[in-house]
Amino acid sequence: MVGFPILSLITFLPVLGMIAILFFPKEQVKPVKYLSLVITAIQVVLAIVLLSNYNYSAAGVYDEKSFQFIEKFRWINITGLSWLGNVKIDYFMGVDGLSTPMVLLTAIISFIATLSSWTINKSVKGYFALFLLLDAGMMGVFVALDFFLFYIFWELMLLPMYFLIGIWGGPRKEYAAIKFFIYTLLGSVFILLSMIGLYFSTTETLADGSKVYTFNMLAMMNPANSTQDGILSILNPNNLRFAAYIALFAGFAIKIPMFPFHTWLPDAHVEAPTPISVILAGVLLKMGTYGILRINYPMFPEITRQLMWWIALFGMINIIYGALVALAQKDFKKLIAYSSVSHMGYVLLGMASLSTSGINGAIFQMFNHGTITAMLFLIVGVIYDRAHTRGLNDFGGLAAQMPVYTGFVTVAFFAAIGLPGMSGFISEALVFVGSFGVELTRILAMVSTLGILLGAAYMLWTLQRIFFGPLNEKWSSLTDLDKREYAMLVPLALIIIFLGVYPSAMLDIMNTSVNSLVNFVSGNIDSLTISGL
Amino acid sequence: MANLYQSLELILPEIVLSLALVVLVTSDLILHKDKRLIPYIAGLGIAVTGAFVINQFNFSGFAFQTSSNTLRNYGMVAVDPFGVFFKLIVIASSILIVFFSYSSEEINKTIDRLGEYYALIFGMMLGMFFMITATDFILIYLSLELLSLSSYVLSGFTKLRDRNSEAALKYLLYGAVSSGLMLFGISLIYGLTGSTNLYVINSLLQVNSFNGFTFSFAVILVFAGIGYKISSAPFHFWTPDVYEGAPITITAFLSVASKAAGFALLIRFIKTTFVSFVDVNGAWALIEIFDWKTILVAISILTMTLGNFSALWQDNLKRMLAYSSIAHAGYLLLGIVVFSNQGLIAMLVYFVIYLLMNLGAFLVVMLVANKIGSEEIDDYNGLGYTSPLLGISFAIFLISLTGLPPTAGFIGKLYLFIALVDAKMITVAVIALLNSVVSLYYYIRVLKHMYLIRATESTPAVVSSFGNKLLVLIIVIPVLVLGIYFSPLIDFAKRSITILGL
């Protein structure tokens, strides 16, 4: 434990930065950039402080006592003799093994993306203000434990994202931005409705013994808190829990993005500026799978068990479909975008197995995909900044021209393929171990391994088309990486290799929580030991 | 006499308003050279009326009782917290409209007729006040006509453009038809029950049985009159044309205050006439003679869907906001269709928020129109860069109208959906939510023009005076603050749900 509200600080620091930036004069471009860099750097430091004070044996998940760095107080409290209109909302934050990797990831990716934003020259002030707001929204989603608070953060990042794509994006930016916005809003209205349904199905007992409805996520997970006649109450035989599960799942699946809700992603990625693609692939997509693990799984364990096979099926479709479409791409960025669809499929597949190794693999894959894809998008950005084209067939032989760059590309590509020694290998292996181990998903897992083959195919083919063969004379003036680009790529490469060699560094963070989650969702509550802090 | 004296005390706000109207007309005659003082007199009049209204809070009573018989001792006017709430809505929007008018170029071009303008606004306010409190069909009809007649004139007031007169004429024609229908409905109800007092009709409905078909027919006719005021489908056809043609200050006033009066009347009409009792959970038990629930659910869904889908194609912002206000009438009706105190609270909360965000949006459109004389969406290109404060504020108002956090509009929608889910009306809630996704498209389209498309060289920059900027801030800050901390608003709404009952 630390002596200050670290989660509030890490979440709202960017908001303070945003307000400060708004008071800067318009011409002051450098201070704005440095301020953003400092703020995201402090976030990284805070994340490290958080990690160094982290209790590895505390489970969290559904047990409030074993959550860490908790901050909880009443935010909205409307009381009165008649219960009408009464609402109690907590400002409730805390982390466990599911959210800590995501907090780390958000801090790292935000910092790297700020570095990558250095080349932004248009309306710099507005850009960084929106960027920091987006940062706050993402961080908030991962630390919020009150559904209302979670939803506020969830929606908070929509608008900055819309503008970041829409103003600073490529030629079809307007289309891509509105598509992203409409898709995500469509998903989140269903989340909203399910949230209200859950609110009316969960009561919390106050100190004076009275029962009130609550938005507390952890209270929603405990069947003992169910009301008798709430529409999503497990005690109500006419409940709509299945519909609510699908609604929530669809809302989150749009973010992942899961087939068939994935069509916004390639557009958004291709049009977004490089740093925003990095954020999008690095952090935003994880919010979908995180939401499913945090909300769908523990709040609806019986339906989760029922739908395991279907989740795995969609995971498999994502893997194969994403890889096949990636094979057909001629645009470097679009290829990476579709490889994202494919890689997020592994997360779904791992989650669906409902086994410790599968879910460990899924969360680890979320982190790894965050770092690897961020690196891939940065790589695309590097070449696009220089050549102003992303056509895979426009290049050739760059290995000789840009040897260091080619080195980083190779690291990132091999990590994406899942080569041993890189972090992607461990998480994908765990996912497959998990899903092979469960009879139900075994066949789907076997088919999914085809994705690895396809992944190697499109990655290696890309490597060959851009970097090997004779040098296209057109590009003989391209320069190798500069210092800023080193600063972006080196940390990511180090993380990827470090976690490939020593995965326990990350797995230990999540292991206790994942065990607890698996037991909880599988219904083995008896075997649980609730760990204290 | 004691009775009359008491009654007059209860309608003090209305009396003060009438006096202010007289002062306004008189001073218009005296100040026939220089009209600059008129807005101040109007503002003062509204402020004093507001003080009297606030004074009535937490007070209930009947004025103008029709008989001394204790059993039927209901008045023509009911003073209760619910009425005070809507009167305050009217007061708040009127004050803002005075400020709007003060800086509106359109109104300032006709400065020599400023006295008439404000006098007519006061006429509208008086009509609204009585509409909010009336519990007798005679008074309901009279107040509705007082409001309508003043607004017909105001919607064509400036006569600067052809569409001005078109608006007034359309408004008049539609209004005449719907008030005729309403009058017919009232006469049928009178014929059936022998009374025009809502409370008497209620007690008769509870014990006697009436011809259900005739009665329902009559109620639908009465609803036509009210539905026209709140611009709910299928009585909404006048709205886009009138809103587009009328001076923008009047458009804003119609979209908020006039709608508030209409909703207050609708709720009071339903509650006092058709509700037999309110149970412990706050649900209203309806008398079975008329199926309000089905009718209102259908109208609500139809209204919001028509409003939202029609707004998608609009290039004129006034017209777009007109359709958006139709859609919002649909959302507001959702607060009524659950027939419970919970729903009423949600509706009241939504109305306060609607007042802020809608007037805010109209204010920005007006300030832009002041400078560039156009409301076309293409003229908003790059506004976010040439005029940052207006751009950001407009964006916040539109986001709030969409209902996204962290703005007040989200809280309004949240309470509506809470009421719907609590009443287990999930399908309706899903339709309403999908509607708000549709609405995102046309609201965000304005943002697209303001930020994503750069201004051409020829567009003049919109620079507003300090006063106008302050006015924008006064509206935009509550929209943001209420999105994050809304306890006081809910408390206020909770205390305002008391409707004087039997």
Side-chain angles (χ1 to χ4, degrees), chain A residues 61-62 98 220-221 241 245 248-249 252 288-305 307-312 347-355 358-359 362-363 441 514 517-523:
Chain A
V61 185
Y62 60 91
L98 305 183
M220 287 172 177
M221 294 168 194
R241 282 171 73 85
Y245 187 91
L248 281 168
F249 196 91
F252 294 130
T289 39
Y290 173 79
I292 293 173
L293 284 174
R294 171 67 76 211
I295 289 168
N296 277 51
Y297 269 48
M299 288 185 200
F300 304 87
E302 79 284 10
I303 302 171
T304 305
R305 292 198 294 271
L307 293 179
M308 273 165 68
W309 187 81
W310 290 97
I311 300 173
V347 180
L348 280 170
L349 185 66
M351 275 163 41
S353 72
L354 216 53
S355 61
I359 295 186
I363 300 176
T441 54
V514 169
L517 177 72
V518 169
N519 282 324
F520 187 75
V521 178
S522 316

Side-chain angles (χ1 to χ4, degrees), chain A residues 13-277:
Chain A
L13 194 67
V15 178
L16 294 179
M18 180 195 84
I19 292 168
I21 282 176
L22 291 178
F23 286 101
F24 276 66
K26 215 177 236 165
E27 318 74 60
Q28 299 271 17
V29 171
K30 271 271 150 67
V32 167
K33 287 181 176 174
Y34 278 106
L35 180 69
S36 309
L37 192 66
V38 167
I39 293 219
T40 45
I42 296 176
Q43 271 191 310
V44 175
V45 172
L46 285 172
I48 293 168
V49 170
L50 186 142
L51 194 60
S52 58
N53 288 286
Y54 186 80
N55 178 353
Y56 283 74
S57 59
V61 185
Y62 60 91
D63 172 34
E64 188 176 328
K65 286 194 285 301
S66 57
F67 265 92
Q68 306 185 44
F69 309 102
I70 287 179
E71 292 163 36
K72 185 179 186 183
F73 57 85
R74 281 260 181 276
W75 169 19
I76 302 283
N77 191 12
I78 297 160
T79 53
L81 279 178
S82 90
W83 60 273
L84 300 160
N86 290 2
V87 167
K88 285 191 174 51
I89 299 170
D90 287 334
Y91 177 87
F92 184 16
M93 288 178 166
V95 290
D96 63 357
L98 305 183
S99 42
T100 307
M102 295 300 111
V103 170
L104 288 174
L105 179 70
T106 310
I108 295 167
I109 298 296
S110 296
F111 177 74
I112 305 273
T114 313
L115 273 178
S116 159
S117 303
W118 228 252
T119 46
I120 299 282
N121 293 319
K122 182 175 156 189
S123 317
V124 174
K125 196 174 129 178
Y127 175 88
F128 281 96
L130 288 167
F131 180 89
L132 289 176
L133 188 62
L134 176 68
D135 184 2
M138 295 185 306
M139 199 57 104
V141 165
F142 292 127
V143 297
L145 289 178
D146 184 278
F147 212 146
F148 188 85
L149 191 62
F150 175 89
Y151 189 78
I152 297 264
F153 284 125
W154 180 273
E155 296 272 271
L156 188 64
M157 29 143 264
L158 287 185
L159 207 60
M161 203 60 182
Y162 170 78
F163 283 121
L164 287 168
I165 298 176
I167 300 179
W168 290 273
R172 285 169 71 241
K173 58 193 182 182
E174 288 153 26
Y175 170 76
I178 190 76
K179 195 168 177 183
F180 165 81
F181 206 155
I182 299 250
Y183 257 92
T184 334
L185 188 71
L186 191 64
S188 56
V189 294
F190 287 110
I191 299 177
L192 174 67
L193 202 58
S194 308
M195 172 178 101
I196 297 173
L198 284 164
Y199 169 75
F200 276 114
S201 313
T202 316
T203 54
E204 195 179 21
T205 313
L206 294 183
D208 62 358
S210 59
K211 283 177 183 271
V212 288
Y213 291 128
T214 180
F215 280 112
N216 185 329
M217 283 195 200
L218 308 182
M220 287 172 177
M221 294 168 194
N222 189 346
N225 292 329
S226 284
T227 55
Q228 199 61 49
D229 54 353
I231 55 165
L232 298 183
S233 164
I234 200 158
L235 304 175
N236 181 355
N238 306 318
N239 63 48
L240 294 166
R241 282 171 73 85
F242 193 80
Y245 187 91
I246 300 295
L248 281 168
F249 196 91
F252 294 130
I254 288 174
K255 262 265 158 49
I256 294 175
M258 186 181 88
F259 178 89
F261 305 120
H262 65 282
T263 55
W264 62 269
L265 183 88
D267 287 310
H269 268 312
V270 169
E271 301 307 324
T274 305
I276 301 309
S277 285

Side-chain angles (χ1 to χ4, degrees), chain B residues 38 170 215 348 355 406:
Chain B
I38 299 280
K170 271 194 179 150
F215 195 83
L348 298 185
L355 176 142

Side-chain angles (χ1 to χ4, degrees), chain B residues 286 290-299 337-339 423 425:
Chain B
L286 286 171
F290 184 74
D291 191 358
W292 272 112
K293 196 157 194 152
T294 317
I295 297 262
L296 281 188
V297 166
I299 286 179
V337 298
V338 295
F339 293 106
M425 297 168 76

Side-chain angles (χ1 to χ4, degrees), chain B residues 61 116 140 166 322 332 371 394:
Chain B
E116 294 164 43
I140 289 176
E166 183 197 331
L332 284 161
K371 293 290 178 227
F394 202 19

